[in-house]
């Protein structure tokens, strides 16, 4: 649930070291009041918590605000503290929170940490009723909530929550951030399972029965369309709600039979159907599976375009994918030639060291919203199931890399630009990726007119920003104007500080064109720490 | 009569006009397959045997209004299904004379026995009249949970409990109907059949600060509470839910301060790795906390009260503070908890042969009594405690906590229990009392192998619903009683029956009656069938279903 954000997961900041006496003086304070960010009214009975950024759980202190919304913490040692609050109607949030970033409160000699105004954004909600074309409620529908926001530099849709409708077809999403959302419904008619039990005996239906019972709801988008391009985004402001009702219309179901999937008793295999919603794979709605001889039949699927994955388990797990466009009942051979993987490669850690065990390779086309992941097998080999790839520019990432970063990228069959590849025709592409751990850190202070500027968005922009998405770094300046950019790969960069840039597509070069001209420049070498100052415009 | 005939004529035309393919397709039956009826030999063969139909309406049993889009399935001759129209009407054609079964489904509706479908058998033929299928609309229990200062309480689990019969005893069963309060403190538990319910809000899963303005003020929490503010079931206010009704039950919870409790646990060579603290509230508890131990030390947070502590060793032995309590009413940094193993009761088996000689039986060796089971059932219905089973391998019943129990013993084949004794208590008619700390003497069971068998059928033959058959012999404060459920053709069998005089009766359905309670059963005994059984005897009985008065 959105309510339970765990703050230590945020990308934040190092503790400022101080020249120490025997025991650090513990006579600093943090104080202020919590107010409703929309109305400005003080918030009583709000739980406010502080904790040191590097040992949050061990040092956490909490207080409940009084009627004036005020809170005071005393007896604190110097350092950087995370400040968070929550209340009925206000999800847990951090001080000056933007996305995953907050401003830490820096406490110490000569620093201001009192009379803070902690603006809490009230929760929004989206709720509604799902009915069918006969005006009857649809219980147990799965409703997915997607949020449209700037993520990793580009505006895109991503899944934030999921719930089910109750006996009246009613659903509710609470504790939402203000913004733009899409509501997507995946459901089965209640009598569908009755029809399936009949199917178990292998008998057939009359045409009249088929029309009544062998029906299914296609994945439906608010306000009631079945293609994502026509979906209407829902805007909710802080503290407000929106009622999104939907009507589902049943269509005749189709079936997919995957033949010979169980032909080898020594190998365990399974078949799943996935569909893409805003480029993100979700399970296709279906009414179940049955085994027919050595095949599996997936039933009660709405017509549409799907990816059929045949997974093999055991000592050499693998997945074969085929994209199928289902307009009628269809048979597919599990052992048939699947679309050959057109993107394969090998990845190595610089210096011959071993790869991080959980690492995997990701390709991301931010403009088309297509994202593909590939596991890394023995000897660093990986391959992508590319049935859904559209031509375009794909950034290459290595996820779970444990502080290692791509240091080199080369390819045959595709043009490499920085850390992206251009996929044009479906010719086989072979990638070679080098990983490096020789990373640097940039510490700095954001200033305006010579004074430290808290809460600014700091962006580290690499040379050739269009093709080097993985090289960007971001932070938010703390209450004393300081910031830290970590895990920086060697290269030439410019640093930009923006006062209120949280809705900007910060990885979009058009946005930055003018600002880059008078930005601070840094030439980063491997494994170094830098100190700098940046002007906030 | 006229209107019925007209109806049929219409059907016949329809059946000629419609292309009705009599291709059978299976229907989800609960357990066993349907077999088509053999053709009735008394009906002379006609050129068109399938000229009859079945038609009817599905209605709401409370309002009498038709239920549209209910799924109706027919089986017995053919297997088809349809949805009722806007008038709740359905019809099937092309049937031959005979018996068919109709099953109706619709979300939010039950039959009289709280099953989510309605099934009846109808006779198809010349004089058959339209069928009316009544379905009982479900109800809902809704409400709001707030704190004393009217702030909504989110994330609290609300559960609905009903007394149900299971194995002839009234048990508290969690209907698995629960809901979590939303950000307004609101909850809704729907799809409930009409019954008497008790509503409970579970204890809070998180603590919160109790006082404003004081950093790190004491935390507070909430214990489990039953409607209307009771901490135990016996003091709870029941909620009568009628068909189709929505009842509102609101809760205002009082927070309790939480104390820091730590200390050591001792008294056992194999220490428990986890302890469960349960605050006593009547027969059960309203606040539980689990904590793991580290080298015999533990640290936890509890509201004030009197607690019993339990734990399990790695070998599955139950340890508890049997009989004594740990009292908490402030922060306690050095609590010392002494745990003792729970009672284990030996069971001694003896076989008595026809001539009267008695030999001891070691059930773990090969000469045990196959199919025998023995259980201690707590005699007050409790939400948390289940019975203890005899383990043939160890020859004992282990982990028995202090309390009062009924002994339930079951034998099969030729074996029957002539006596079950503990010291001087006849456990076939009286309860077993287990007191804390007292060493329990063994339970002595004497068995004979000249049992009788009773079998038979329950009519009427057309009734497909399962029936419960009771074989009863009044004895002391309890009846000696065996129960069986009929199979597909209405047949039943009792094995391991002690020779003697009995009465027998049968009831519709399963678990509709609290038959283990002699007061509940006695009004029905006067109309029961009497039967006398000899050693090694067999008897065959045909029973009719007795109506259950509500």
């Amino acid at each position: 649930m959105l309510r339970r954000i765990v703050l230590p997961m945020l990308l934040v900041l190092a503790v400022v070291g101080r020249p120490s006496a025997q025991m650090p003086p513990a006579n600093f304070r943090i104080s202020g009041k919590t107010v409703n960010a929309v109305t400005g009214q003080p918030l009583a009975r709000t739980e406010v918590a502080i904790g040191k950024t590097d040992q949050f759980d061990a040092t956490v202190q909490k207080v409940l605000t009084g009627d004036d919304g005020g809170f005071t913490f005393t007896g604190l040692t110097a350092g950087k503290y995370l400040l968070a609050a929550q209340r009925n109607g206000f999800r847990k949030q951090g001080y000056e929170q933007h996305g995953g970033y907050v401003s830490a409160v820096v406490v110490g000699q000569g620093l201001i940490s009192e009379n803070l105004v902690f603006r809490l954004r009230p929760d929004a909600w989206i709720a509604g009723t799902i009915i069918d074309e006969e005006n009857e409620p649809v219980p147990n529908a799965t409703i997915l909530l997607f949020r449209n926001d700037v993520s990793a530099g580009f505006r895109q849709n991503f899944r934030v929550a999921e719930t089910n409708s109750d006996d009246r077809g009613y659903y509710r999403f609470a504790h939402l951030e203000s913004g733009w959302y899409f509501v997507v419904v995946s459901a089965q008619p209640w009598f569908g399972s009755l029809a399936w039990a009949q199917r178990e005996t292998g008998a057939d239906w009359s045409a009249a029965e088929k029309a009544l019972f062998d029906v299914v709801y296609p994945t439906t988008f608010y306000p009631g369309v079945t293609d994502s391009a026509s979906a209407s985004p829902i805007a909710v402001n802080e503290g407000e709600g929106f009622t999104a009702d939907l009507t589902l219309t049943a269509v005749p179901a189709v079936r997919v039979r995957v033949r010979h999937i169980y032909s080898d008793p020594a190998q365990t295999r399974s078949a799943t159907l996935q569909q893409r919603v805003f480029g993100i794979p979700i399970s296709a709605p279906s009414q179940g599976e049955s085994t027919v001889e050595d095949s599996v039949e997936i039933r009660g699927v709405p017509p549409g375009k799907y990816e059929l994955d045949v997974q093999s388990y055991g000592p050499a797990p693998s997945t074969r994918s085929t994209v199928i466009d289902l307009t009628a009942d269809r048979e597919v051979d599990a052992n048939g030639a699947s679309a050959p993987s057109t993107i394969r490669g090998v990845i190595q850690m610089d210096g011959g060291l071993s790869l991080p065990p959980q690492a995997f390779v990701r390709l991301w086309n931010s403009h088309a919203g297509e994202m593909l992941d590939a596991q890394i097998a023995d000897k660093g080999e990986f391959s992508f199931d590319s049935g859904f790839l559209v031509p375009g520019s794909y950034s290459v990432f290595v996820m779970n890399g444990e502080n290692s970063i791509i240091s080199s990228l080369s390819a045959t069959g595709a043009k490499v630009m920085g850390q992206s590849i251009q996929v044009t025709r479906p010719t086989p592409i072979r990638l070679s990726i080098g990983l490096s751990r020789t990373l640097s850190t940039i510490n700095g202070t954001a200033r305006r007119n010579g004074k430290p500027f808290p809460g600014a968005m700091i962006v580290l922009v690499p040379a050739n920003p269009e093709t080097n998405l993985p090289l960007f770094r971001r932070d938010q300046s703390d209450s004393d104007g300081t910031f830290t950019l970590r895990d920086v790969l060697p290269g030439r960069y410019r640093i930009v500080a923006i006062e209120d840039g949280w809705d900007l597509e910060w990885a979009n070069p058009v946005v930055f064109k003018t600002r880059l001209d008078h930005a601070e420049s840094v030439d980063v070498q491997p494994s170094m720490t830098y100190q700098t100052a940046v002007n906030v415009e | 009569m006229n209107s019925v005939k007209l109806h049929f004529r219409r059907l016949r035309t329809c059946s000629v006009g419609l292309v009705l393919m009599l291709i059978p397709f299976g229907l989800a039956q609960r357990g066993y397959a349907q077999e088509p009826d053999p053709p009735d030999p008394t009906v002379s063969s006609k050129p068109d045997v399938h000229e009859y139909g079945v038609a009817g309406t599905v209605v709401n049993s409370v309002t009498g209004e038709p239920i549209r889009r209910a799924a109706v399935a027919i089986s017995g001759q053919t297997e088809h299904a349809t949805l009722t129209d806007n008038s709740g009407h359905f019809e099937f054609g092309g049937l031959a004379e005979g018996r068919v079964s109709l099953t109706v489904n619709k979300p939010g509706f039950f039959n009289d026995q709280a099953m989510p479908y309605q099934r009846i058998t109808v006779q198809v033929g010349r004089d058959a009249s339209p069928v009316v299928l009544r379905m009982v609309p479900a109800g809902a229990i809704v409400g709001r949970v707030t704190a004393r200062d009217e702030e909504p309480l989110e994330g609290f689990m609300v559960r609905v409990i009903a007394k149900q019969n299971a194995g002839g005893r009234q048990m508290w069963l969690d209907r698995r109907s629960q809901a979590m309060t939303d950000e307004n403190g609101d909850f809704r538990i729907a799809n409930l059949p009409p019954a008497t319910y008790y509503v409970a809000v579970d204890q809070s899963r998180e603590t919160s600060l109790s006082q404003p303005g004081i950093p790190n003020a004491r935390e507070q929490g909430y214990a489990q509470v039953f409607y209307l503010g009771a901490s135990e079931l016996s003091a709870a206010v029941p909620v009568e839910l009628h068909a189709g009704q929505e009842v509102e039950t609101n809760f205002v919870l009082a927070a309790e301060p939480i104390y820091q409790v730590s200390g050591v646990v001792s008294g056992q060579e194999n220490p428990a790795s986890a302890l469960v603290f349960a605050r006593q509230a009547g027969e059960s508890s309203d606040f539980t906390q689990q904590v793991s131990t580290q080298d015999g030390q533990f640290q936890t947070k509890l509201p004030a009260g009197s607690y019993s502590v339990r734990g399990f060793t790695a070998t599955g032995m139950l340890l508890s503070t049997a009989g004594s309590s740990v009292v908490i009413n402030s922060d306690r940094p050095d609590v010392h908890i002494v745990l003792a193993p729970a009672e284990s009761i030996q069971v001694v088996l003896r076989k008595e042969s026809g001539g009267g000689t008695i030999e001891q039986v070691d059930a773990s060796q090969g000469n045990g009594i196959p199919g025998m089971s023995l259980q201690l059932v707590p005699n007050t219905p409790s939400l948390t405690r289940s019975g203890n089973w005899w383990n043939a391998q160890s020859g004992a019943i282990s982990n028995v906590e202090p309390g009062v129990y009924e002994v339930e013993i079951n034998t099969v084949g030729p074996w029957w229990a002539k006596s079950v004794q503990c010291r001087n208590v006849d456990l076939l008619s009286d309860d077993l009392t287990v007191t804390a700390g007292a060493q329990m003497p063994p339970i002595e069971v004497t068995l004979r192998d000249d049992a009788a068998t009773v079998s038979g059928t329950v009519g009427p033959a057309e009734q497909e619903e399962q029936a419960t058959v009771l074989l009863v012999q009044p004895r002391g404060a309890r009846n000696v009683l065996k129960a069986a459920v009929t199979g597909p053709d209405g047949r039943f069998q009792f094995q391991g029956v002690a020779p003697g005089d009995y009465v027998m009766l049968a009831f519709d359905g399963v678990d509709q009656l609290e038959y283990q309670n002699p007061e509940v059963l006695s009004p029905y005994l006067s109309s029961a069938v009497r039967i006398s059984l000899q050693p090694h005897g067999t008897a065959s009985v045909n029973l009719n279903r007795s109506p259950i008065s509500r």
Side-chain angles (χ1 to χ4, degrees), chain B residues 332-485:
Chain B
R332 298 275 303 273
D334 47 15
V335 175
H336 183 196
I337 296 182
V338 181
L339 294 180
E343 215 36 80
S344 187
I345 305 179
Q346 283 295 319
V347 175
V348 176
L349 296 184
R350 295 193 176 87
K351 279 195 250 198
E352 184 182 286
S353 71
T357 46
I358 300 183
E359 76 182 85
Q360 193 142 331
V361 169
D362 187 348
S364 64
Q365 297 298 342
N367 59 346
I369 315 286
M372 174 180 139
S373 71
L374 191 149
Q375 189 190 15
L376 294 183
V377 179
N379 79 340
T380 42
S382 157
L383 274 174
T384 48
R385 281 174 43 181
S386 54
N388 295 70
W389 290 92
W390 165 65
N391 182 326
Q393 281 303 106
S394 66
I397 308 172
S398 52
N399 289 344
V400 183
E401 296 187 82
V404 181
Y405 297 89
E406 275 179 39
V407 169
E408 215 174 76
I409 181 167
N410 276 305
T411 53
V412 298
W415 295 101
W416 59 281
K418 179 179 169 191
S419 80
V420 181
Q421 304 245 348
C422 182
R423 218 178 269 136
N424 297 326
V425 181
D426 173 12
L427 295 177
L428 288 177
S429 48
D430 289 326
D431 292 336
L432 176 73
T433 304
V434 177
T435 42
Q439 269 283 28
M440 290 298 298
I443 294 177
E444 312 196 29
V445 180
T446 303
L447 301 148
R448 288 184 61 92
D449 62 353
D450 54 0
T453 305
V454 183
S455 53
T457 53
V458 177
E462 302 80 61
Q463 192 88 302
E464 285 185 359
E465 213 54 54
Q466 286 184 311
T468 304
V469 183
L470 300 179
L471 182 69
V472 186
Q473 185 181 77
R475 180 171 168 159
R478 280 216 308 272
N479 300 324
V480 166
L481 187 151
K482 277 183 181 267
V485 173

Side-chain angles (χ1 to χ4, degrees), chain A residues 230-424:
Chain A
S230 322
S232 294
I234 296 166
V236 277
N237 288 321
E238 264 136 24
E240 291 179 2
F242 187 87
T243 302
D245 295 329
L246 273 113
T247 303
L248 301 179
T249 306
V251 297
V254 295
R255 250 166 268 153
V256 179
R257 184 176 289 204
V258 185
R259 293 173 59 228
H260 309 313
I261 188 170
Y262 301 131
S263 54
D264 182 359
Q267 245 217 353
T268 316
R269 292 208 284 186
S270 71
T272 48
L273 274 183
Q274 304 248 1
Q275 61 174 160
R276 294 268 166 158
V277 169
F278 303 125
I280 295 163
I282 67 169
S283 299
S286 81
Q287 277 169 2
E289 305 184 347
S290 52
T291 306
V292 182
E293 290 158 14
D294 67 347
S295 310
V296 68
E297 188 171 86
I298 304 174
R299 319 169 301 215
V301 183
K305 185 176 173 195
Y306 298 95
E307 178 180 293
L308 175 68
D309 293 331
V310 175
Q311 288 112 352
S312 303
Y313 304 96
S318 69
T319 308
R320 263 200 172 108
S321 300
T322 338
V323 175
I324 50 178
D325 205 339
L326 283 182
T327 46
D329 293 352
R330 180 86 173 259
E331 279 197 2
V332 177
D333 193 334
N335 300 322
S338 64
S341 180
T342 56
I343 304 185
R344 302 185 19 233
V346 73
I347 176 171
Q348 282 169 336
M349 180 72 89
D350 285 354
L353 301 171
S354 56
L355 291 166
Q358 305 286 339
F360 61 93
V361 186
R362 171 170 287 175
L363 291 181
W364 185 29
N365 180 334
S366 49
H367 291 281
E370 296 290 347
M371 178 157 61
L372 291 168
D373 294 338
Q375 305 292 326
I376 302 174
D378 292 341
K379 301 188 201 129
E381 291 183 346
F382 60 88
S383 76
F384 285 93
D385 303 315
S386 38
F388 276 98
L389 269 186
V390 300
S393 171
Y394 286 82
S395 297
V396 181
F397 292 87
V398 175
M399 312 301 291
N400 290 342
E402 290 172 9
N403 295 324
S404 62
I405 300 293
I406 297 177
S407 59
S408 67
L409 176 64
S410 61
T412 58
K415 187 166 167 198
V416 173
M417 289 168 52
Q419 276 185 234
S420 309
I421 56 171
Q422 298 292 326
V423 174
T424 48

Side-chain angles (χ1 to χ4, degrees), chain A residues 187-208:
Chain A
Q188 296 291 339
W190 63 267
F191 45 81
S193 56
L194 269 189
W196 285 121
Q198 291 150 2
R199 204 80 187 93
E200 289 290 346
T201 65
D204 256 320
W205 297 324
S206 71

